[in-house]
């Protein structure tokens, strides 16, 4: 969008009709080609998640080409004045976007001017007067009004362009998503004289994009499930296993205090060496258990003992064991088996009432804390002590967290070719890209994009917890 305009700037001339007609012809030829490919693909008629996702993408591409055709035609024909729109017009069948509407608000005279398309988009009677800027929020859902107010204020006071979305409640029911772009028009002394904007209904576009995301997620979950079944190599039903490589779903019986996301990244080879896990569990006292670690060994022994290990971790935590004691008992439990052995682990209890994190580690990378655009490694607990009757006793450390803090747990191997402090320093270098208002899933995605989803010599896990309250 160009910079803010001057009130005495001459109006832009419409493009040549012939050049726009040429663009329309090209668009329609491309529509035909895409539609032909889509019909050939749809002929296979299966319901596999991958094919559902591909069909959704074909449909979205074709819808957007239809809308491009309509918008180019509108550009060629010019805007429709409000007086020429006695009755709303229905967009083409299957269209994702209505015609683009426009408006201008004169701040000196408090007059408003709407195009006929804008009345249609907002569900207003074309015979009614256009709403002023003060009246416009009355159409917007309560939770979106602050967003619209902030956009308009920034435009009028700071001369910032408007580019954002909000939802409107139409008369007769129904909620529509509207995308608004606009700019201030300045008078000769540099103050804002008026504001103009273009608006379009993007409700169907957003629904179509959600369909693509949902089918993509369904495909990814199916692929992850297939990979887990291959790695397990035994016929255990997934429902009886803790989510050591699945999604993190807490029941959230109370207020939501942590936003969680995690990812298991497989090794680049099929060698079954070691077993990495992550887990999260809401405890009966309102605390949350977070754990990440790995076992040595290979084959079915790792898989069967992984199930035992996570069941034991959860059982001990539910019985009230604190992280240090839990690590000691876990070490004793695995010492009684031939293989695998506990390679490393970190266990955390988060107490939301005081935002206190209590944690212990066994030969494992310490958690990383990101706050205010910077990151640091949490100070390690006291070293392992040997007790006369209980064997190894693991120390605990405490950290008070704040709303917006991001906690990152990971296993060795997350950063290919680096371990220990070298890997931690590379992860801490992501601090400017992990703001506290990002979701946990966004943070995990940033880590995976930076260090890759494949190409590792061993498996790796990463878990991110964001403090939300």
């Amino acid at each position: 969008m160009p910079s803010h305009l001057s009130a005495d700037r001459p109006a832009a001339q419409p493009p040549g009709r012939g050049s726009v007609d040429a663009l329309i012809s090209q668009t329609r030829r491309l529509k035909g080609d895409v539609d032909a490919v889509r019909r050939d693909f749809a002929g296979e008629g299966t319901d596999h998640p991958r094919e559902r996702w591909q069909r959704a993408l074909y449909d979205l591409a074709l819808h957007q080409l239809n809308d491009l055709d309509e918008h180019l035609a509108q550009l060629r024909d010019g805007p429709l004045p409000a007086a020429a729109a006695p009755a709303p017009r229905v967009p083409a069948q299957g269209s994702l976007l209505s015609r683009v509407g426009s408006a201008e608000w004169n701040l000196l005279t408090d007059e408003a001017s709407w195009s006929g398309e804008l009345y249609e988009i907002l569900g207003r009677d074309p015979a009614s007067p256009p709403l002023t800027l003060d009246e416009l929020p009355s159409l917007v859902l309560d939770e979106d009004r602050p967003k619209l107010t902030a956009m308009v204020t920034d435009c009028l006071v700071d001369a910032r362009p408007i580019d954002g979305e909000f939802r409107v409640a139409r008369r007769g029911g129904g909620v529509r998503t509207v995308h608004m772009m606009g700019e201030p028009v300045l008078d000769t002394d540099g103050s804002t004289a008026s504001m103009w904007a273009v608006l379009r209904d993007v409700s169907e576009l957003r629904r179509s994009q959600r369909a693509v995301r949902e089918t993509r997620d369904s495909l990814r979950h199916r692929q992850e499930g297939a990979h887990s079944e291959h790695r397990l190599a035994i016929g255990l039903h997934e429902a009886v296993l803790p989510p050591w490589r699945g999604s993190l779903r807490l029941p959230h019986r109370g207020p939501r205090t942590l936003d969680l996301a995690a990812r298991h990244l497989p090794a680049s080879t099929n060698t079954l060496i070691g077993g990495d896990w992550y887990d999260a569990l809401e405890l009966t006292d309102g605390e949350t258990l977070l754990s990440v670690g790995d076992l040595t060994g290979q084959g079915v022994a790792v898989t069967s003992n992984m199930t035992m290990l996570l069941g034991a971790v959860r059982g001990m935590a539910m019985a009230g064991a604190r992280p240090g004691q839990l690590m000691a008992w876990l070490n004793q439990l695995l010492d009684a088996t031939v293989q695998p052995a506990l390679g490393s682990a970190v266990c955390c209890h988060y107490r939301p009432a005081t935002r206190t994190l209590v944690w212990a580690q066994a030969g494992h990378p310490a958690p990383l804390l990101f706050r205010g655009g910077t990151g640091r490694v949490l100070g390690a607990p006291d070293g392992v002590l040997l007790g006369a009757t209980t064997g190894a006793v693991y120390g605990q450390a405490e950290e008070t967290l704040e709303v917006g803090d991001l906690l990152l747990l990971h296993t060795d191997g997350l950063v290919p070719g680096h371990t220990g402090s070298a890997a931690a320093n590379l992860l801490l270098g992501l601090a400017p890209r992990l703001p506290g208002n990002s979701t946990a899933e966004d943070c995990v995605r940033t880590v995976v994009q930076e260090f890759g989803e494949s190409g590792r010599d061993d498996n790796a896990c990463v878990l991110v917890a964001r403090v939300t309250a």
Side-chain angles (χ1 to χ4, degrees):
M1 182 178 290
S3 60
H4 48 270
L5 305 177
S6 171
D8 58 0
R9 173 178 171 174
Q13 297 301 311
R17 186 181 184 93
S19 59
V20 177
D21 280 334
L23 290 174
I24 293 174
S25 297
Q26 293 175 22
T27 301
R28 291 176 179 174
R29 283 196 299 271
L30 184 56
K31 281 170 52 182
D33 293 341
V34 172
D35 191 35
V37 175
R38 184 187 66 159
R39 287 198 304 271
D40 291 342
F41 176 81
E44 300 177 17
T46 67
D47 198 40
H48 189 279
R50 176 181 291 276
E51 294 187 10
R52 290 201 302 269
W53 170 67
Q54 290 172 330
R55 284 197 296 269
L57 279 176
Y58 276 126
D59 289 342
L60 177 59
L62 192 59
H63 281 314
Q64 290 176 323
L65 286 172
N66 283 332
D67 294 324
L68 177 60
D69 186 4
E70 291 184 20
H71 292 328
L72 288 173
Q74 184 181 356
L75 181 64
R76 177 193 60 195
D77 299 338
L80 180 68
R89 295 181 300 168
V90 179
Q93 182 67 29
S95 175
L96 296 179
L97 307 175
S98 303
R99 288 174 63 91
V100 175
S102 62
E104 183 168 0
W105 291 274
N106 190 311
L107 304 182
L108 304 180
T109 63
D110 203 29
E111 294 177 339
S113 174
W114 285 12
S115 71
E117 291 85 5
L118 186 54
Y119 279 93
E120 179 183 336
I121 291 170
L122 300 181
R124 301 281 296 176
D125 182 356
S128 63
L131 300 182
T132 65
L133 280 176
D134 291 334
E135 296 169 330
L136 186 62
S138 65
L139 301 179
V140 180
L141 297 189
D142 290 344
E143 53 267 38
D144 288 357
R145 287 179 186 175
K147 184 191 306 184
L148 174 62
T149 300
M151 289 192 299
V152 172
T153 300
D154 288 344
C155 181
L156 299 181
V157 176
D158 299 325
R160 295 180 185 175
I162 289 178
D163 187 354
E165 293 183 5
F166 52 87
R167 292 166 297 168
V168 298
R170 290 164 56 101
R171 289 181 178 176
V175 174
R176 310 296 289 177
T177 302
V178 175
H179 184 204
M180 180 177 183
M181 299 180 69
E183 287 187 346
V185 178
L186 307 182
D187 59 17
T188 54
D189 63 3
S191 59
T192 304
S194 63
M195 189 189 86
W196 64 265
V198 292
L199 299 94
R200 58 176 181 160
D201 183 347
V202 294
S203 306
E204 295 301 325
L205 174 62
R206 297 294 173 253
R207 275 196 284 268
S208 186
Q209 290 172 334
R210 283 197 299 270
V212 171
R213 287 196 301 269
E214 290 167 0
T215 52
R216 179 199 61 202
D217 292 344
S218 174
L219 173 62
R220 185 177 68 241
H221 293 157
R222 182 186 179 98
Q223 291 172 333
E224 289 176 353
H227 177 76
S228 295
E229 291 172 3
H230 171 72
R231 296 283 292 166
L232 285 171
I234 55 177
L236 293 176
H237 193 276
E238 291 181 359
V240 302
L241 297 177
W244 54 283
R245 288 182 192 171
S247 59
L248 297 177
R249 295 187 180 92
L250 298 181
H252 295 295
R253 289 181 289 268
R256 183 182 293 270
T257 59
L258 286 180
D259 173 26
L260 299 174
R263 186 77 63 86
H264 171 257
L265 303 169
S268 57
T269 66
N270 291 325
T271 305
L272 298 178
I273 300 178
D276 292 45
W277 87 84
Y278 59 79
D279 190 25
L281 177 68
E282 189 173 288
L283 305 177
T284 55
D285 57 2
E287 295 188 8
T288 299
L289 169 72
L290 305 174
S291 66
V292 171
D294 68 87
L295 294 177
T296 64
Q298 59 183 345
V300 175
V302 175
T303 300
S304 58
N305 280 275
M306 181 76 73
T307 306
M308 176 196 71
L309 177 145
L310 287 191
V313 169
R314 287 183 158 204
M316 290 186 285
M318 292 293 286
R322 309 305 293 166
Q325 184 63 71
L326 191 153
M327 297 300 297
W329 286 347
L330 184 62
N331 191 60
Q332 289 179 330
L333 175 65
L334 290 174
D335 276 349
T337 65
V338 177
Q339 73 150 349
L342 180 62
S344 65
V346 62
C347 176
C348 306
H349 278 193
Y350 177 66
R351 187 180 304 124
T354 57
R355 299 197 190 100
T356 302
L357 182 78
V358 182
W359 65 281
Q361 64 183 147
H364 194 85
L368 307 181
L369 177 63
F370 296 88
R371 176 184 295 167
T374 63
R376 62 182 174 91
V377 180
L378 293 187
D382 294 334
V384 176
L385 305 176
L386 296 179
T389 58
T390 59
V393 178
Y394 291 84
Q396 294 182 165
E398 288 194 9
E399 187 78 25
T400 300
L401 304 183
E402 299 177 1
V403 173
D405 281 356
L406 293 168
L407 186 72
L408 188 149
L409 311 180
H410 69 98
T411 59
D412 272 328
L414 177 62
V415 182
H418 297 82
T419 58
S421 59
N425 289 335
L426 290 172
L427 286 165
L428 292 174
L430 297 178
R433 296 164 57 187
L434 302 177
N437 59 356
S438 297
T439 66
E441 183 62 38
D442 288 338
C443 295
V444 168
R445 188 178 300 114
T446 296
V447 172
V448 174
Q449 289 173 345
E450 178 69 20
F451 300 111
E453 198 162 0
S454 59
R456 289 172 175 78
D457 295 330
D458 199 357
N459 302 293
C461 286
V462 57
L463 184 153
V464 171
R466 183 174 70 92
V467 181
T468 59

